[in-house]
């Protein structure tokens, strides 16, 4: 996995020592300044050259893809961590008057407070007690209201320093989302990232800037709020209790992390649509995307790697998620934040202080980082592999209309009964439904009902009218189905998910009943007087 020309071995006994950065060494870029940062073996940068190198990566990623148009509203998903904080800082400096090439979009910041779900499940607590006897119980009890209040104060101070329009949302507000958040809306024609559309948008922006320049105004000038904004007031006790009960019922830490990420994405998507943002910036770094790629493969999400790890994610239609930090490693991010005093807020995550084997996410992260310490090109090799993934439809589905989407991750369903790498799970569930003993109605000769979910698992859709769990599971992709097994009862899910599942099931059932009364070509020929 090492790059060609790099040698990480120790020098042979009696041979010349390896060159290491010292006081006599100079910056590899300007050849003048003293080096303060060593990115790779032999790449020592001074402070100014490292900043130019870091900023160029961010700007080049945005300029190469040309997906963010001038004057477009972009929502920055800020978690308080190093990568997302560095991303917000890059946007802040790019919009300043001192910037050589100013950014031309209108930014906003969203912070999702999910501190209520930092408690581990009872099963993970038991596992931690067995593996690490001195594991602190405080990490398994969640954060107190006082700790959450102190964190929100720090968040508000950082947001006031940044000055962008901000939205501080509690994760409990997912219990008030509408079912429409799970629907894919068509993207506006002028927002499609083509070369001609981008040039037309730039020309229109420059003309508008010339007109407003005479009046001393700017296209993105707007009153900046003094404090964070929110969609609603603080979460109610009922919502907090429902969210805690939902995550306490999840059996594994892996499923809990996936569920937390899904709910956070739904909340950010709803805020973006409500406030007119057409793009969402995520602060995923190169190291984080490499871990995510390996984790997604282990979780059965190989069909969606191009969306989960690529620069752009268009699965939502009208709101596109972009990842401009995907060229930066965590080492570069840590050095930049340290040298240039980028503010960040530390908040415990679900897997904080969890052992290495507590979840697939922790296991893959420890595996890659341990391998990276021995072979420094491991992360870049995995990351470059993700760049080669193409977003192409399955064979035979390119000309057909888009099929049903997963109820949670909103990706196209990859479970079918024909030719699919994950068809075994659907066929197994369908076979179990068929092997069940017939009920009293079937024994009495009552005709069975038509399948309300064709293409979502065959006979599994027939059970959806009787079993609410089968109705929800039948509308999930393979990866989300695997995680749903660790949730004993789906009734604890937020109401908007259950409502959308019922609406899709009823719509599919109505379409199936209509198809039963339509005449096909063969039926038309069989009628008297048919051609």
């Amino acid at each position: 996995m090492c790059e060609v020309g790099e040698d990480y071995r120790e020098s042979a006994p009696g041979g010349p020592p390896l060159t290491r950065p010292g006081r006599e060494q100079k910056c590899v870029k300007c050849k003048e300044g003293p080096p303060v940062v060593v990115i790779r073996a032999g790449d020592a940068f001074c402070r100014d050259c490292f900043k130019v190198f870091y900023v160029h990566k961010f700007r080049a990623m945005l300029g190469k893809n040309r997906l963010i148009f001038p004057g477009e509203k972009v929502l920055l998903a800020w978690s308080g961590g190093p990568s997302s904080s560095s991303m917000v800082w890059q946007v802040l400096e790019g919009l300043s008057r001192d910037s050589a090439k100013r950014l031309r979009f209108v930014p906003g910041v969203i912070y999702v407070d999910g501190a209520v779900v930092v408690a581990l499940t009872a099963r993970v607590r038991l596992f931690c007690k067995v593996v690490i006897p001195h594991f602190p119980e405080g990490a398994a009890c969640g954060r107190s209201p006082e700790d959450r209040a102190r964190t929100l104060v720090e968040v508000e101070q950082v947001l006031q320093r940044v000055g962008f329009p901000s939205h501080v949302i509690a994760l409990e507000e997912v219990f008030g989302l509408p079912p429409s958040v799970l629907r894919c809306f068509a993207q506006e024609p002028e927002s499609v990232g083509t070369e001609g559309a981008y040039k037309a948008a730039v020309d229109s922006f420059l003309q508008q800037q010339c007109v407003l320049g005479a009046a001393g105004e700017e296209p993105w000038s707007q009153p900046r709020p003094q404090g964070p904004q929110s969609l609603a007031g603080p979460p109610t006790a009922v919502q907090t209790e429902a969210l805690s009960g939902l995550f306490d019922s999840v059996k594994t830490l892996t499923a809990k992390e996936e569920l937390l990420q899904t709910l956070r994405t739904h909340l950010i998507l709803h805020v973006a649509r409500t406030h007119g943002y057409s793009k969402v910036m995520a602060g995923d770094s190169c190291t984080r995307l490499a871990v995510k790629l390996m984790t997604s493969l282990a979780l059965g999400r190989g069909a969606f790697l191009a969306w989960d790890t690529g620069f752009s994610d268009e699965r939502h239609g009208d709101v596109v998620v972009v990842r401009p930090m995907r060229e930066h490693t965590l080492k570069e991010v840590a050095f930049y934040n340290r040298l240039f005093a980028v503010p960040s807020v530390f908040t415990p995550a679900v897997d904080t202080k969890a052992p290495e084997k507590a979840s697939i996410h922790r296991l893959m992260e420890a595996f890659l980082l341990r391998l990276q310490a021995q072979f420094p090109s491991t992360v870049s090799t995995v990351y470059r592999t993700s760049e080669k993934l193409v977003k192409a439809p399955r064979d035979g589905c390119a000309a057909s209309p888009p099929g049903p989407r997963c109820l949670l991750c909103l990706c196209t369903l990859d479970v079918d009964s024909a030719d699919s790498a994950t068809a075994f799970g659907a066929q197994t569930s369908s076979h179990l439904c068929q092997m069940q003993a017939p009920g009293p109605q079937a024994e009495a000769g009552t005709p069975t009902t038509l399948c309300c979910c064709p293409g979502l698992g065959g006979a599994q859709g027939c059970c959806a009218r009787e079993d609410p769990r089968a109705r929800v599971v039948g509308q999930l992709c393979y990866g989300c189905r695997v995680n749903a097994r660790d949730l004993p009862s789906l009734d604890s899910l937020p109401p908007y998910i259950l409502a959308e599942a019922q609406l899709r099931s009823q719509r599919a059932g109505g379409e199936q009943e209509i198809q039963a009364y339509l005449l096909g070509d063969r039926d038309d020929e069989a009628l008297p007087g048919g051609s």
Side-chain angles (χ1 to χ4, degrees), residues 350-368:
V350 182
D351 58 348
T352 300
K353 294 185 178 181
E356 180 179 309
K357 298 181 180 180
S359 66
I360 297 179
H361 303 78
R362 292 282 294 113
L363 186 61
M364 285 297 178
E365 180 180 7
F367 169 72
L368 283 180

Side-chain angles (χ1 to χ4, degrees), residues 29 105 164 251 489 527:
K29 190 69 175 179
F105 56 84
F164 295 153
K251 296 179 181 179
S489 176
L527 291 177

Side-chain angles (χ1 to χ4, degrees), residues 315-336:
R315 75 182 73 179
H316 309 295
D318 56 338
V319 178
V320 179
V321 180
V322 295
R323 303 179 178 93
M325 298 292 295
R326 65 191 311 263
E327 288 280 352
H328 300 77
T329 63
L330 284 180
K331 181 179 180 180
E332 297 172 355
V333 172
F335 278 138
Y336 184 86

Side-chain angles (χ1 to χ4, degrees), residues 199-443:
K199 290 183 178 180
V202 172
D203 295 340
S204 176
F205 177 83
L206 293 178
Q207 293 178 2
Q208 182 183 10
Q209 190 176 17
C210 293
V211 173
L212 297 179
E217 299 180 359
E218 297 183 7
W220 56 75
S221 62
Q222 55 183 342
R224 293 180 176 179
Q226 298 297 325
Q229 300 174 346
S230 178
L231 292 179
T236 62
V238 177
Q239 292 177 338
T240 304
E241 183 179 358
L243 185 64
S244 301
L246 170 61
F247 280 89
D248 288 340
S249 63
V250 181
K251 296 179 181 179
T252 62
L253 184 59
T254 300
K256 179 180 292 188
E257 293 186 38
E258 289 294 315
L259 179 61
L260 176 60
Q261 181 63 32
T262 299
L263 297 182
R264 183 185 287 117
T265 302
H266 292 173
L267 195 56
I268 294 176
L269 179 62
H270 176 68
V271 173
R273 287 174 173 172
T274 303
H275 294 270
Y277 294 96
S278 57
K279 299 290 189 302
V280 174
M281 270 193 186
D284 297 327
S285 63
C286 172
T287 308
R288 185 58 54 193
L289 289 178
V291 175
K292 191 174 184 180
L293 184 142
M294 300 298 295
T295 304
S296 299
L297 286 175
L299 293 176
R301 296 187 56 83
F304 313 128
L305 288 180
W307 286 267
D308 292 340
T309 62
F311 173 78
S312 61
D313 184 359
E314 306 90 354
R315 75 182 73 179
H316 309 295
D318 56 338
V319 178
V320 179
V321 180
V322 295
R323 303 179 178 93
M325 298 292 295
R326 65 191 311 263
E327 288 280 352
H328 300 77
T329 63
L330 284 180
K331 181 179 180 180
E332 297 172 355
V333 172
F335 278 138
Y336 184 86
N337 293 353
R338 174 72 174 180
L339 291 175
F340 300 98
V342 176
S344 60
V345 178
F346 171 75
T347 54
V350 182
D351 58 348
T352 300
K353 294 185 178 181
E356 180 179 309
K357 298 181 180 180
S359 66
I360 297 179
H361 303 78
R362 292 282 294 113
L363 186 61
M364 285 297 178
E365 180 180 7
F367 169 72
L368 283 180
L369 294 183
R370 189 182 300 111
L371 199 60
Q372 172 74 12
Q374 300 176 0
F375 304 98
S377 298
T378 300
V379 170
S380 61
T381 301
V382 177
Y383 166 74
R384 297 303 174 188
T385 303
S386 67
E387 287 188 329
K388 298 178 175 62
L389 300 175
V390 181
K391 302 174 183 177
R394 189 179 302 167
D395 295 339
C397 300
S400 60
R405 294 181 176 269
C406 177
L407 195 63
L408 294 181
C409 67
L410 303 181
C411 289
T412 304
L413 287 181
D414 59 341
V415 178
D416 55 26
S417 57
D419 183 15
S420 174
T422 60
F424 177 78
Q427 293 174 357
T428 303
S429 301
S430 176
H431 179 69
L432 292 178
C433 291
Q434 295 176 358
M435 291 296 292
Q436 292 179 351
Q441 295 181 354
E443 295 178 356

Side-chain angles (χ1 to χ4, degrees), residues 448-472:
T448 57
T449 57
L450 294 174
C451 177
C452 61
C453 298
L456 297 182
Q460 186 176 354
C462 300
C463 305
R465 301 191 179 191
E466 301 291 339
D467 186 10
R469 182 181 182 87
R471 178 175 56 197
V472 175

Side-chain angles (χ1 to χ4, degrees), residues 118-170:
V118 300
L120 300 177
T121 60
R123 181 175 178 180
V124 175
R125 287 200 299 265
L126 178 61
F127 176 80
C128 295
K129 291 179 181 179
V130 173
V131 177
I132 306 177
H134 299 287
F135 188 78
E137 290 291 334
C141 300
R143 302 190 66 195
S144 62
E146 292 77 12
D147 293 338
R148 297 185 67 181
R150 285 194 294 268
T151 301
L152 290 179
V153 170
E154 297 179 9
V155 168
E156 184 176 355
Q157 293 175 354
V158 174
L159 293 178
Q160 288 180 350
R161 180 178 177 182
V162 172
F164 295 153
S166 55
H167 312 275
V168 178
I169 310 297

